[in-house]
Amino acid sequence: MRASRYLIATQKETPADAEIISHQLMLRAGMIRKLAAGLYTWLPMGLRSLRKVERIVREEMDKSGAQEVLMPAVQPAELWQESGRWTEYGGELLRMNDRHGRDFCFGPTHEEVITDLIRNEVKSYKELPANFYQIQTKFRDERRPRFGVMRAREFIMKDAYSFHVDAESLNETYQVMHRTYCNIFDRVGLDYRPVEADSGAIGGSDSHEFHVLASSGEDDIVFSTESDYAANIEKAVALAPAGERPAPAEEMKEVHTPGQRTIEAIAEFLGIDATRTVKTLLVKGEEDENGQSGLVALILRGDHTLNEIKAENLAGIAEPLTMATDEEIKSATGCEPGSIGPVNLPVPVIVDRSAAHLADFVCGANRDDYHLTGVNWERDVPLGRVEDLRNVVEGDPSPDGKGTLEIRRGIEVGHIFKLGNKYSKSMNATVLDEHGKSVVMEMGCYGVGVSRIVAASIEQNHDDKGIIWPDAIAPFQVAIVTLNAHKSPTVAEAGEKLYEQLRQAGFDVLLDDRNERPGVKFADMELIGIPHRFVVSDRGLAAGTLEYKGRRDEEKQDIPVAEALPFLINASPRKGL
Amino acid sequence: MRASRYLIATQKETPADAEIISHQLMLRAGMIRKLAAGLYTWLPMGLRSLRKVERIVREEMDKSGAQEVLMPAVQPAELWQESGRWTEYGGELLRMNDRHGRDFCFGPTHEEVITDLIRNEVKSYKELPANFYQIQTKFRDERRPRFGVMRAREFIMKDAYSFHVDAESLNETYQVMHRTYCNIFDRVGLDYRPVEADSGAIGGSDSHEFHVLASSGEDDIVFSTESDYAANIEKAVALAPAGERPAPAEEMKEVHTPGQRTIEAIAEFLGIDATRTVKTLLVKGEEDENGQSGLVALILRGDHTLNEIKAENLAGIAEPLTMATDEEIKSATGCEPGSIGPVNLPVPVIVDRSAAHLADFVCGANRDDYHLTGVNWERDVPLGRVEDLRNVVEGDPSPDGKGTLEIRRGIEVGHIFKLGNKYSKSMNATVLDEHGKSVVMEMGCYGVGVSRIVAASIEQNHDDKGIIWPDAIAPFQVAIVTLNAHKSPTVAEAGEKLYEQLRQAGFDVLLDDRNERPGVKFADMELIGIPHRFVVSDRGLAAGTLEYKGRRDEEKQDIPVAEALPFLINASPRKGL
């Protein structure tokens, strides 16, 4: 491509409303432009990277044996009503009426559509397993779209759905997809980790997320220092402390704690560590048959935080997790939220594993401005139900027994789920098994955030000059910058010759033939992040050389003109592709 | 691809609700499935053809120098309000509200979005001309979606928009796009015609449509028998008959014509040809400044039909064209619609060129159940405004003076427009010209119905056994059908070997390794329409041969195993691609 005939829409200023580096650089490098909140146009430069990601995803999915389809973006409400999600999905589902007043949505995902298709098309176990994918525009009406294409409302996703006669077959395909995702992210050139994840609102059992490690990530990812254990903090298991619970050593006493309503305040007031306190959180319980629900108390060690996902996955607790209001707390316990504790609490209690391990602890006395000290489980208050309720913290033991946990930030770029029969059951998607018996199919689903990968790659690969693309998804692999070409036919000719030579060898080349100052051209090529750069100048040509600089290199080097192609083939991991 | 691991979703029965052959065959061959009215899922087999069309379009657009972008499908109302189309566009625009209640639409086209982008990005004539395209999912909420993907609500379109500093530059790019479209449709393998077209609601001046000739087409396309003249009937010029208007020979007389209200009835009643009558149609005139509009009379020769597009493009006539109601006619003329005529008619009259050439004609007397005979222009009634009002008919002279016109049916698969400044003016999209003066850009726009091409190709290429794909867009170019492979390892092995050999030579091959009867496999491959078929059988292998049959061939032929690849390369226009 010749830059003089291409939209090079670079900007010097950092856009004010772009919070994270990938968003800033994608705007500055002229890859995207905002149309409205969460809606972006991909400019030519950005689209080239997007298409390369798309191509890698497609090739690896094809290799895995998955079959590409294309389902409509606009979906009829009836299918969502059948699965129950028309009411469940909430505000992120963009709903609309057609000219006849019928209900539709812009699909944020396609479980219903594919399940409907496959229940009609596939009749026998002989046609299974089958895995169908599409690369398609989705819409999620995020309440607060942000970070450019990282959390846009309209985005491109690869979604795949597999169908099976039994759980064993699902498991096999799940493993194939796990490997396929590793292949995809390896090829794209990302530093990523597959981690255990909660399967969330989409339903089902096993689930792994694939995270790109980056400080701007919105997820906390937990790793073992000594094993392969890795999980989203939503899912990471918090073990009970080792050993037996210590025996009681103190008497239980009621202490006047006027105005002390937080763990920090109480600990300071009493001169103890927060680890010796417990906090009591009241949440709504599950509705009974009559639609009534009471409150449930969750007890955590004072320094720990509630893991809402773990809590809402427990039996007896309303989903989504709903904290009790101050009024509800007062009406159930007779006192203010800051003074609640498990002793003689008139609501059911669930105790976190770490809180259950405490002896001689401090808690609210269920009486305004009073706390209890020296409290012990069983002696002073029965220890009933114990569960894993909290988020892990750095230094916690790894749940596989090997090493301790550390926490880093991650950007989710892939997610694989075992859906089981969540959709196939509600939508009655059955096949005949080998005995001629009708069985509900098992399903898996597998997503890749295609447009998000572009941004995530930038979060991981940039410097103060701009983007640094991995070769595989760079908009162009090589930039040829000609200096003063409009005055020097020699330079212009040598630039064209090199351009043709590298193109014919299969490289994606941008010939920067613009009539701009060298500084402008260098800055643009660095901002855009093209991995390899050759400079063609009169001075160099006089010595029979070109100047080469890799995007990550500190130093330039002179390469004999005739050596340019072999040098590049050697320097690029995408050798002459 | 191995058929045993692929969704071969063929059907024997012709679906009841599919009216045209491409819709029937796409369903029967397992290319598409209906999700809801006008919404179709592309199954793996159909998507392969769609992607091949897409690829040809992309390659030819890239070759033309156009730059690919990707704009959001969901567009904010503000831009459409700026161009005026938010109110103008009507029921085909699928409107929606996001969670904050803001107005959006699912883009049926992207003039507003691209104009907004370019007015922000391009500042100087030096950056022009520039042409941007995308291949994208569009939505038009058709009142009556039908014919499968031919007239679906959600469909895939290539839309391109060019920007220019002046009309001359627009003209150049328009010509480049005309050639590019010919290249695209040539490569796809369609029998098509570029024809002059009305530019319609999208606005602008020059316009050409590209039509695939097929009897199921929804447009009438007009050709000269002796020149390159071709036009949509909407646009085709109807010339006045040659020579002077004959001199009056009869006296004007009023005749009692009780109950004779149609041209046919009057002609029969009077024993004359319909060509000697005129019909008078009353339509609404343009609104004046006070919002008032009267009626206008359009006079046509009795055997001719009104061309509504031509009429509504005329000054003084309301757009869209609106016929007067019976009440309005009665109130304006004092008589019933069947007895209206130009003589002493109290509304302005526009006369078609052919009607203006008549002498001694018959028309309504503006008195119920009476007609006038022997009427002559100027003598009996002034001949004021004469315009081209009618549809051409077969045998009319070609407007370029060469030959006569014939009419065939066409399916529109491409459309190119000179938009001029329709959008750039209302949206204030300017650049600085070479004198530093701000000028409104000239624009062109260029559409290809990517998904429609697949259906149009089938309309042109099929027989009673199924689809006949052109090689370029066949889902697979070659089918290898193995007979009894599950019992004969020799056949299975020879099939695999041929499969690998042809694949490595670059052919898209479907190996039909299904454990099905030969008849089922042959019928499926013919229904799906794969251009080349090899059969591998024990009997053939014993003689060292494979059986070959081209999809259009009457006869099979035996080919020595070693000759299969060179034979295929010779038989396929996509030689070893």
Side-chain angles (χ1 to χ4, degrees), chain A residues 446-483:
Chain A
Y446 318 96
V448 169
V450 174
S451 41
R452 180 180 277 189
I453 283 177
V454 177
S457 171
I458 297 174
E459 289 294 328
Q460 254 184 6
N461 301 285
H462 63 269
D463 61 16
D464 55 357
K465 292 177 191 144
I467 301 168
I468 306 174
W469 288 110
D471 278 60
I473 62 169
F476 296 95
Q477 297 162 279
V478 191
I480 300 172
V481 178
T482 53
L483 302 189

Side-chain angles (χ1 to χ4, degrees), chain A residues 380-393:
Chain A
D380 306 320
V381 49
L383 177 61
R385 187 171 169 197
V386 176
E387 299 279 5
D388 178 8
L389 286 178
R390 70 173 175 95
N391 288 315
V392 297
V393 294

Side-chain angles (χ1 to χ4, degrees), chain A residues 1 4-9 11 33-37 39-45 47 50-51 58 65-76 79 90-92 94-100 102 104 106 113 116-118 121-122 126-127 132-133 135-137 139 141-145 153-154 156, chain B residues 1 4-9 11 33-37 39-45 47 50-51 58 65-76 79 90-92 94-100 102 104 106 113 116-118 121-122 126-127 132-133 135-137 139 141-145 153-154 156:
Chain A
M1 191 63 64
S4 58
R5 300 181 204 163
Y6 202 69
L7 186 64
I8 310 282
Q11 297 175 340
R33 284 296 180 263
K34 181 175 167 177
L35 173 62
L39 301 178
Y40 289 86
T41 292
W42 289 81
L43 300 185
M45 193 65 79
L47 189 63
L50 183 68
R51 292 275 186 243
R58 179 173 284 119
Q67 302 179 49
E68 190 174 1
V69 296
L70 183 61
M71 294 178 265
V74 174
Q75 305 181 7
L79 289 178
E92 284 189 14
L94 182 65
R95 295 149 207 262
M96 60 196 80
N97 294 109
D98 74 359
R99 67 191 299 161
H100 304 294
R102 286 182 295 242
F104 288 88
F106 196 129
V113 177
D116 176 57
L117 178 76
I118 298 304
E121 296 301 326
V122 171
K126 289 182 197 163
E127 298 165 70
F132 300 94
Y133 78 97
I135 297 177
Q136 196 206 30
T137 299
F139 200 97
D141 200 358
E142 299 264 357
R143 184 182 297 277
R144 194 165 99 74
R153 296 199 285 178
E154 188 174 320
I156 295 178
Chain B
M1 192 62 64
S4 58
R5 300 180 203 164
Y6 201 70
L7 186 64
I8 310 282
Q11 297 175 341
R33 285 295 178 264
K34 181 174 169 179
L35 173 62
L39 301 178
Y40 290 86
T41 291
W42 289 80
L43 300 186
M45 192 66 78
L47 189 63
L50 183 67
R51 292 276 185 244
R58 179 172 284 118
Q67 303 179 50
E68 189 174 1
V69 296
L70 183 61
M71 294 179 264
V74 174
Q75 306 181 8
L79 290 177
E92 284 189 15
L94 182 65
R95 295 150 207 260
M96 60 196 83
N97 294 110
D98 74 359
R99 65 190 298 160
H100 304 295
R102 288 183 294 243
F104 289 86
F106 195 128
V113 177
D116 176 58
L117 179 77
I118 298 306
E121 298 300 326
V122 171
K126 289 182 197 163
E127 299 164 70
F132 299 94
Y133 77 97
I135 297 177
Q136 197 204 30
T137 299
F139 200 98
D141 201 358
E142 299 264 358
R143 185 183 297 277
R144 196 165 99 76
R153 297 199 285 177
E154 187 174 322
I156 295 178

Side-chain angles (χ1 to χ4, degrees), chain A residues 498-518:
Chain A
L498 181 63
Y499 175 64
E500 284 305 331
Q501 186 191 22
L502 301 185
R503 262 165 39 95
Q504 277 165 27
F507 286 95
D508 261 345
V509 190
L510 182 66
L511 173 64
D512 194 350
D513 58 346
R514 292 175 300 163
N515 186 2
E516 295 279 3
R517 287 182 296 110

Side-chain angles (χ1 to χ4, degrees), chain A residues 118-233:
Chain A
I118 298 304
R119 71 179 167 184
N120 292 327
E121 296 301 326
V122 171
K123 301 297 175 196
S124 158
Y125 74 99
K126 289 182 197 163
E127 298 165 70
L128 300 181
N131 191 6
F132 300 94
Y133 78 97
Q134 58 179 354
I135 297 177
Q136 196 206 30
T137 299
K138 309 285 190 203
F139 200 97
R140 284 186 195 159
D141 200 358
E142 299 264 357
R143 184 182 297 277
R144 194 165 99 74
R146 57 194 181 280
F147 304 156
V149 297
M150 187 77 88
R151 191 170 279 280
R153 296 199 285 178
E154 188 174 320
F155 58 97
I156 295 178
M157 188 168 150
K158 187 285 297 171
D159 47 331
Y161 308 89
S162 69
F163 294 83
H164 310 270
V165 73
D166 57 30
E168 191 186 332
S169 166
L170 167 57
N171 195 45
E172 278 166 21
T173 296
Y174 188 86
Q175 297 307 330
V176 169
M177 286 289 97
H178 194 292
R179 283 196 300 278
T180 297
Y181 276 36
C182 290
N183 294 343
I184 289 170
F185 301 123
D186 283 342
R187 278 186 63 187
V188 168
L190 293 170
D191 181 14
Y192 70 95
R193 297 285 185 285
V195 307
E196 290 180 15
D198 185 74
S199 42
I202 208 160
S205 52
D206 284 6
S207 161
H208 282 83
E209 291 169 353
F210 293 76
H211 279 269
V212 169
L213 301 180
S215 56
S216 62
E218 294 190 89
D219 284 286
D220 279 319
I221 305 304
V222 175
F223 303 92
S224 163
T225 50
E226 289 176 26
S227 76
D228 285 342
Y229 181 79
N232 192 307
I233 197 162

Side-chain angles (χ1 to χ4, degrees), chain A residues 264-275:
Chain A
E264 294 70 33
I266 286 293
E268 198 184 329
F269 182 82
L270 298 176
I272 57 166
D273 200 82
T275 56

